[in-house]
Amino acid sequence: MSHGPSNDYRDRVLAQQTVWAAGAYDAFSAKMIERAGFDAVMTSGFGVSASLLGMPDAELYTMTENAGVVRNVANAVKIPVIADMDTGYGNAINVMRSVREFESAGTSAIIMEDQMAPKRCPICVSGVETIGMEEAVKKIEAAVEARRNPNMLIIARTDVDTVPEAIRRAKAYVAAGADVIQPISNTFKDLDGLKTLRKETGVPLSLQILGWLERDLTPEQIASVAGMATFALVPLMTAAAALEKNLAQLARDKTSRNLPLERMDHHQFIDLIGFPEIEQLQLRFLEQA
């Protein structure tokens, strides 16, 4: 079980000793991310919407549905959990409740963006709308006030589509109390732009490693600006591709003998999911027939 915000995690991010994470869409994918050796896990709104609802990332789930997934993830792993909190699910007052719900779920950081609600996924569509900077600042101030544990990081994401405005907003968000800034990958086009953002705001960046960042940057270049770096969609897209290939073959052949991709061994899986521990607890606490 994740122990929630800690000094070590916060200090590492703010010192820009890059925390590497991958995007989870449920508790099981979070366990696999932890098992692989990542420093942290991020609950991806894109992935949660796909897994929970089978629907696109358009803020179609509710705050409580998202927080429920986050709670399950935090209960399944010991590494820090970073939660995608979308727009905060309303105005500044709604944000205060959202922050407290996600904090009580066991998160070490929350990400809140400055889009209009309901949000639209900027990697899926162009021309997303953002709220006014003044309103966005007030929402961050409200999040800071609502936070009970100062070790929980507040990551302010800006979805504006020009570099000068993104920098202007990012500086205002830091002044309002945001600990980390997250730009979207299709606003900043190169490493120099990210370095300028890092320098102007005075805080490390949180980067979602998508698009050109995934294709063009080395780990060392990412670490030169990022306190957090997350491969947000690799787990989801890996699972989707594997399921599509094996299930298509299975539907054609009506036998599992010709599957193109290897499956995990049954005994390996039950060890991974924790059956041995449950068996030990049953022996300790349940009457044996």
Side-chain angles (χ1 to χ4, degrees):
M1 176 179 177
S2 174
H3 299 293
S6 69
N7 280 324
D8 290 345
Y9 168 74
R10 180 183 177 88
D11 290 349
R12 179 173 170 182
V13 171
L14 297 184
Q16 202 178 307
Q17 298 168 358
T18 309
V19 171
W20 293 89
Y25 46 89
D26 60 12
F28 180 70
S29 58
K31 287 177 72 72
M32 295 298 286
I33 290 165
E34 180 179 47
R35 185 172 186 243
F38 281 92
D39 303 318
V41 59
M42 187 200 82
T43 57
S44 156
F46 187 102
V48 168
S49 190
S51 178
L52 185 67
L53 303 179
M55 299 181 77
D57 183 19
E59 210 170 56
L60 297 171
Y61 50 65
T62 64
M63 180 272 283
T64 50
E65 286 176 316
N66 189 9
V69 173
V70 171
R71 189 178 301 277
N72 289 340
V73 166
N75 284 334
V77 300
K78 297 178 181 177
I79 56 178
V81 175
I82 306 146
D84 182 353
M85 206 177 77
D86 297 311
T87 62
Y89 307 103
N91 62 25
I93 308 306
N94 300 111
V95 164
M96 296 183 81
R97 184 190 171 212
S98 297
V99 166
R100 288 172 181 156
E101 290 292 332
F102 279 77
E103 186 176 16
S104 70
T107 57
S108 292
I110 56 102
I111 303 168
M112 187 170 66
E113 63 207 51
D114 57 6
Q115 275 200 46
M116 296 281 288
K119 61 163 287 181
R120 301 170 72 206
C121 178
I123 65 170
C124 303
V125 298
S126 59
V128 299
E129 294 182 89
T130 55
I131 60 176
M133 190 179 81
E134 293 77 12
E135 182 183 358
V137 164
K138 290 298 183 183
K139 289 174 75 171
I140 292 166
E141 290 175 349
V144 172
E145 184 164 327
R147 174 177 58 185
R148 292 188 173 99
N149 186 333
N151 288 322
M152 188 182 77
L153 293 173
I154 293 175
I155 303 166
R157 173 177 136 183
T158 181
D159 284 29
V160 294
D161 59 5
T162 68
V163 169
E165 179 63 9
I167 291 174
R168 186 174 81 95
R169 286 194 174 218
K171 291 169 71 173
Y173 298 165
V174 171
D179 302 295
V180 178
I181 292 295
Q182 182 173 297
I184 55 171
S185 59
N186 53 4
T187 295
F188 289 82
K189 306 297 185 184
D190 54 37
L191 182 61
D192 286 342
L194 294 177
K195 286 183 175 179
T196 299
L197 179 64
R198 169 69 177 93
K199 181 179 179 181
E200 290 287 329
T201 59
V203 299
L205 305 183
S206 166
L207 296 182
Q208 305 291 307
I209 312 303
L210 301 164
W212 70 271
L213 290 92
E214 188 172 11
R215 182 182 63 249
D216 298 339
L217 296 188
T218 66
E220 293 75 20
Q221 289 172 320
I222 292 167
S224 72
V225 294
M228 293 170 47
T230 305
F231 294 93
L233 299 184
V234 171
L236 175 68
M237 299 309 189
T238 299
L243 285 169
E244 184 174 58
K245 288 180 181 178
N246 272 9
L247 290 176
Q249 191 75 37
L250 187 63
R252 285 193 297 268
D253 296 350
K254 308 301 188 292
T255 176
S256 60
R257 294 170 187 163
N258 304 318
L259 297 180
L261 299 176
E262 182 182 357
R263 291 173 290 168
M264 182 175 285
D265 175 78
H266 174 74
H267 295 291
Q268 185 182 0
F269 183 85
I270 63 175
D271 284 345
L272 168 65
I273 207 67
F275 267 107
E277 290 81 359
I278 295 296
E279 286 295 312
Q280 290 175 4
L281 291 173
Q282 288 177 329
L283 290 173
R284 284 181 60 195
F285 296 117
L286 301 182
E287 292 184 9
Q288 303 301 307

Coordinates of all heavy atoms in Angstrom, one line a residue, residues 31-83:
K31 N 0.5 -2.4 -10.4 CA 1.3 -3.4 -9.8 C 2.4 -3.8 -10.8 O 3.6 -4.0 -10.4 CB 0.5 -4.6 -9.4 CG -0.3 -4.4 -8.1 CD -1.2 -5.7 -7.8 CE -0.3 -6.8 -7.3 NZ 0.1 -6.6 -5.9
M32 N 2.1 -3.9 -12.0 CA 3.1 -4.2 -13.1 C 4.1 -3.1 -13.2 O 5.3 -3.4 -13.4 CB 2.4 -4.5 -14.4 CG 1.4 -5.7 -14.4 SD 2.3 -7.2 -14.0 CE 3.1 -7.5 -15.6
I33 N 3.7 -1.9 -13.1 CA 4.6 -0.7 -13.2 C 5.6 -0.8 -12.0 O 6.8 -0.6 -12.2 CB 3.8 0.6 -13.2 CG1 3.1 0.7 -14.6 CG2 4.7 1.8 -13.0 CD1 2.0 1.8 -14.6
E34 N 5.1 -1.0 -10.8 CA 5.9 -1.1 -9.7 C 6.9 -2.3 -9.8 O 8.1 -2.1 -9.5 CB 5.1 -1.3 -8.4 CG 5.9 -1.4 -7.1 CD 5.0 -1.6 -5.9 OE1 4.1 -2.4 -6.0 OE2 5.2 -0.9 -4.9
R35 N 6.4 -3.4 -10.3 CA 7.2 -4.6 -10.4 C 8.3 -4.4 -11.4 O 9.4 -4.9 -11.3 CB 6.3 -5.8 -10.9 CG 7.0 -7.1 -11.0 CD 6.0 -8.2 -11.3 NE 6.5 -9.5 -11.2 CZ 6.6 -10.3 -12.3 NH1 6.1 -10.0 -13.4 NH2 7.1 -11.6 -12.2
A36 N 8.1 -3.5 -12.4 CA 9.1 -3.3 -13.5 C 10.2 -2.4 -12.9 O 11.3 -2.4 -13.5 CB 8.5 -2.6 -14.6
G37 N 10.0 -1.7 -11.8 CA 11.1 -0.9 -11.2 C 11.0 0.6 -11.3 O 11.9 1.3 -11.0
F38 N 9.8 1.1 -11.7 CA 9.6 2.5 -11.8 C 9.6 3.1 -10.4 O 9.2 2.5 -9.4 CB 8.3 2.9 -12.6 CG 8.4 2.7 -14.0 CD1 8.1 1.6 -14.7 CD2 8.9 3.8 -14.8 CE1 8.3 1.4 -16.1 CE2 9.0 3.7 -16.2 CZ 8.7 2.5 -16.8
D39 N 9.9 4.4 -10.4 CA 10.0 5.2 -9.1 C 8.6 5.5 -8.6 O 8.4 5.6 -7.4 CB 10.7 6.5 -9.3 CG 12.1 6.3 -9.8 OD1 12.8 5.4 -9.3 OD2 12.6 7.1 -10.7
A40 N 7.6 5.7 -9.5 CA 6.3 6.1 -9.1 C 5.3 5.6 -10.2 O 5.7 5.2 -11.3 CB 6.2 7.6 -9.0
V41 N 4.0 5.8 -9.9 CA 3.0 5.4 -10.9 C 2.1 6.6 -11.0 O 1.8 7.3 -10.0 CB 2.2 4.1 -10.4 CG1 1.6 4.3 -9.1 CG2 1.2 3.8 -11.5
M42 N 1.6 6.9 -12.2 CA 0.7 8.0 -12.5 C -0.6 7.4 -13.0 O -0.6 6.6 -13.9 CB 1.2 9.0 -13.5 CG 0.3 10.2 -13.6 SD 0.5 11.1 -15.1 CE -0.5 10.2 -16.3
T43 N -1.8 7.7 -12.4 CA -3.0 7.3 -12.9 C -3.4 8.2 -14.0 O -3.6 9.4 -13.9 CB -4.1 7.3 -11.8 OG1 -4.2 8.7 -11.3 CG2 -3.8 6.4 -10.7
S44 N -3.4 7.7 -15.2 CA -3.7 8.4 -16.5 C -5.2 8.6 -16.7 O -5.9 7.5 -16.8 CB -3.0 7.7 -17.6 OG -3.7 8.0 -18.9
G45 N -5.7 9.8 -16.8 CA -7.1 10.0 -17.1 C -7.5 9.4 -18.4 O -8.6 8.8 -18.6
F46 N -6.6 9.4 -19.4 CA -6.8 8.8 -20.7 C -7.0 7.3 -20.5 O -8.0 6.7 -21.0 CB -5.6 9.1 -21.6 CG -5.7 8.6 -23.0 CD1 -6.0 9.6 -24.0 CD2 -5.5 7.3 -23.4 CE1 -6.0 9.2 -25.3 CE2 -5.6 6.9 -24.7 CZ -5.9 7.9 -25.7
G47 N -6.2 6.7 -19.7 CA -6.3 5.3 -19.5 C -7.4 4.9 -18.6 O -8.1 3.9 -18.8
V48 N -7.7 5.7 -17.5 CA -8.8 5.4 -16.6 C -10.1 5.4 -17.4 O -11.0 4.5 -17.2 CB -8.8 6.4 -15.4 CG1 -10.1 6.2 -14.6 CG2 -7.6 6.1 -14.5
S49 N -10.3 6.4 -18.2 CA -11.5 6.5 -19.0 C -11.7 5.3 -19.9 O -12.8 4.8 -20.0 CB -11.6 7.8 -19.8 OG -12.8 8.0 -20.3
A50 N -10.6 4.9 -20.6 CA -10.7 3.8 -21.5 C -11.0 2.5 -20.7 O -11.8 1.7 -21.2 CB -9.4 3.7 -22.2
S51 N -10.3 2.3 -19.6 CA -10.5 1.0 -18.8 C -11.8 1.0 -18.1 O -12.4 -0.1 -18.1 CB -9.3 0.9 -17.9 OG -9.4 -0.3 -17.1
L52 N -12.1 2.1 -17.4 CA -13.3 2.1 -16.5 C -14.6 2.1 -17.3 O -15.6 1.4 -17.0 CB -13.2 3.2 -15.6 CG -14.3 3.4 -14.5 CD1 -14.2 2.2 -13.5 CD2 -14.2 4.7 -13.8
L53 N -14.6 3.0 -18.4 CA -15.8 3.2 -19.1 C -15.8 2.7 -20.6 O -16.8 2.6 -21.2 CB -16.1 4.7 -19.2 CG -16.2 5.5 -17.9 CD1 -16.5 6.9 -18.1 CD2 -17.3 4.9 -17.0
G54 N -14.6 2.4 -21.1 CA -14.5 2.1 -22.5 C -14.8 3.3 -23.4 O -15.3 3.1 -24.5
M55 N -14.5 4.5 -22.9 CA -14.8 5.7 -23.5 C -13.6 6.6 -23.6 O -12.6 6.4 -22.8 CB -16.0 6.4 -22.8 CG -17.3 5.5 -22.8 SD -18.7 6.3 -22.0 CE -19.1 7.5 -23.3
P56 N -13.6 7.7 -24.5 CA -12.5 8.5 -24.6 C -12.3 9.5 -23.4 O -13.2 9.7 -22.6 CB -12.8 9.3 -25.9 CG -14.3 9.3 -26.0 CD -14.7 8.0 -25.4
D57 N -11.1 10.1 -23.4 CA -10.7 11.0 -22.3 C -11.4 12.4 -22.5 O -10.8 13.3 -23.1 CB -9.2 11.1 -22.3 CG -8.7 12.0 -21.2 OD1 -9.4 12.2 -20.2 OD2 -7.5 12.5 -21.3
A58 N -12.6 12.5 -22.1 CA -13.4 13.7 -22.2 C -14.0 14.1 -20.9 O -15.1 14.7 -20.8 CB -14.4 13.6 -23.3
E59 N -13.4 13.6 -19.8 CA -13.9 13.9 -18.4 C -15.3 13.4 -18.3 O -16.2 14.0 -17.7 CB -13.8 15.4 -18.1 CG -13.6 15.7 -16.6 CD -13.3 17.1 -16.3 OE1 -14.1 18.0 -16.7 OE2 -12.3 17.4 -15.7
L60 N -15.6 12.2 -18.8 CA -16.9 11.6 -18.8 C -17.1 10.8 -17.4 O -18.3 10.6 -17.0 CB -17.1 10.6 -19.9 CG -17.0 11.3 -21.3 CD1 -17.0 10.2 -22.4 CD2 -18.2 12.2 -21.5
Y61 N -16.1 10.4 -16.8 CA -16.2 9.8 -15.4 C -16.3 11.0 -14.4 O -16.0 12.1 -14.7 CB -15.0 8.9 -15.1 CG -13.7 9.5 -15.3 CD1 -13.2 10.6 -14.6 CD2 -12.8 9.0 -16.2 CE1 -12.0 11.2 -14.8 CE2 -11.5 9.6 -16.4 CZ -11.1 10.6 -15.7 OH -9.9 11.2 -15.9
T62 N -16.8 10.7 -13.3 CA -17.0 11.7 -12.2 C -15.7 11.8 -11.3 O -14.9 10.9 -11.4 CB -18.2 11.3 -11.3 OG1 -17.9 10.1 -10.6 CG2 -19.5 11.2 -12.1
M63 N -15.7 12.8 -10.5 CA -14.6 12.9 -9.6 C -14.5 11.7 -8.7 O -13.4 11.1 -8.4 CB -14.7 14.2 -8.7 CG -13.6 14.4 -7.7 SD -13.9 13.6 -6.1 CE -15.1 14.7 -5.4
T64 N -15.6 11.2 -8.2 CA -15.6 10.1 -7.2 C -15.2 8.8 -7.9 O -14.6 7.9 -7.3 CB -17.0 9.9 -6.5 OG1 -18.0 9.9 -7.5 CG2 -17.2 11.0 -5.6
E65 N -15.6 8.6 -9.2 CA -15.2 7.4 -9.9 C -13.6 7.4 -10.1 O -13.0 6.4 -9.9 CB -15.9 7.4 -11.3 CG -17.3 7.0 -11.2 CD -18.0 7.0 -12.6 OE1 -17.8 8.0 -13.3 OE2 -18.8 6.1 -12.8
N66 N -13.1 8.6 -10.5 CA -11.7 8.7 -10.7 C -10.9 8.5 -9.4 O -10.0 7.7 -9.3 CB -11.3 10.1 -11.3 CG -9.9 10.2 -11.7 OD1 -9.1 9.2 -11.7 ND2 -9.5 11.4 -12.0
A67 N -11.4 9.1 -8.3 CA -10.8 8.9 -7.0 C -10.8 7.5 -6.5 O -9.9 7.0 -5.8 CB -11.4 9.9 -6.0
G68 N -11.9 6.8 -6.9 CA -12.0 5.4 -6.5 C -10.9 4.5 -7.2 O -10.3 3.7 -6.6
V69 N -10.6 4.8 -8.5 CA -9.5 4.1 -9.1 C -8.2 4.5 -8.5 O -7.4 3.6 -8.2 CB -9.5 4.5 -10.6 CG1 -8.3 3.9 -11.3 CG2 -10.8 4.0 -11.3
V70 N -8.0 5.7 -8.2 CA -6.8 6.2 -7.5 C -6.6 5.5 -6.2 O -5.5 5.0 -5.8 CB -6.8 7.7 -7.4 CG1 -5.6 8.2 -6.5 CG2 -6.7 8.4 -8.7
R71 N -7.7 5.4 -5.4 CA -7.6 4.7 -4.1 C -7.2 3.2 -4.3 O -6.3 2.7 -3.6 CB -8.9 4.8 -3.4 CG -8.9 4.3 -1.9 CD -10.2 4.5 -1.3 NE -10.7 5.9 -1.3 CZ -10.3 6.8 -0.4 NH1 -9.5 6.5 0.6 NH2 -10.7 8.1 -0.5
N72 N -7.8 2.6 -5.3 CA -7.4 1.2 -5.5 C -5.9 1.0 -5.9 O -5.2 0.1 -5.5 CB -8.3 0.6 -6.6 CG -9.7 0.3 -6.2 OD1 -10.0 0.3 -5.0 ND2 -10.6 0.2 -7.1
V73 N -5.5 2.0 -6.7 CA -4.1 2.0 -7.2 C -3.2 2.1 -5.9 O -2.2 1.4 -5.8 CB -3.8 3.0 -8.2 CG1 -2.3 3.3 -8.4 CG2 -4.5 2.6 -9.5
A74 N -3.5 3.1 -5.1 CA -2.6 3.4 -3.9 C -2.6 2.2 -3.0 O -1.6 2.0 -2.3 CB -3.1 4.7 -3.2
N75 N -3.7 1.5 -2.9 CA -3.8 0.3 -2.0 C -3.0 -0.9 -2.6 O -2.6 -1.8 -1.9 CB -5.2 -0.1 -1.8 CG -6.0 0.8 -0.8 OD1 -5.4 1.4 0.0 ND2 -7.3 0.8 -1.0
A76 N -2.7 -0.8 -3.9 CA -2.1 -2.0 -4.6 C -0.6 -1.8 -4.6 O 0.1 -2.8 -4.9 CB -2.6 -2.1 -6.0
V77 N 0.0 -0.6 -4.4 CA 1.4 -0.4 -4.6 C 2.0 0.3 -3.4 O 1.3 0.9 -2.6 CB 1.7 0.4 -5.9 CG1 1.2 -0.3 -7.1 CG2 1.1 1.8 -5.8
K78 N 3.3 0.2 -3.3 CA 4.1 0.9 -2.3 C 4.8 2.2 -2.7 O 5.3 3.0 -1.9 CB 5.1 0.0 -1.6 CG 4.4 -1.2 -0.9 CD 5.5 -2.2 -0.4 CE 4.8 -3.4 0.3 NZ 5.8 -4.4 0.8
I79 N 4.9 2.3 -4.0 CA 5.6 3.5 -4.6 C 4.6 4.7 -4.6 O 3.4 4.5 -4.6 CB 6.1 3.2 -6.0 CG1 5.0 2.7 -6.9 CG2 7.3 2.2 -5.9 CD1 5.5 2.5 -8.4
P80 N 5.1 5.9 -4.8 CA 4.2 7.1 -4.8 C 3.3 7.0 -6.0 O 3.6 6.5 -7.1 CB 5.2 8.3 -5.0 CG 6.5 7.8 -4.4 CD 6.6 6.3 -4.7
V81 N 2.1 7.6 -5.7 CA 1.0 7.6 -6.8 C 0.8 9.1 -7.1 O 0.5 9.9 -6.2 CB -0.3 7.0 -6.2 CG1 -1.4 7.2 -7.3 CG2 -0.1 5.5 -5.9
I82 N 0.8 9.4 -8.4 CA 0.5 10.7 -9.0 C -0.8 10.6 -9.6 O -1.0 9.7 -10.5 CB 1.6 11.1 -10.0 CG1 3.0 11.0 -9.4 CG2 1.3 12.5 -10.5 CD1 4.1 10.6 -10.3
A83 N -1.7 11.5 -9.3 CA -3.1 11.4 -9.8 C -3.4 12.5 -10.8 O -3.2 13.7 -10.5 CB -4.1 11.4 -8.7

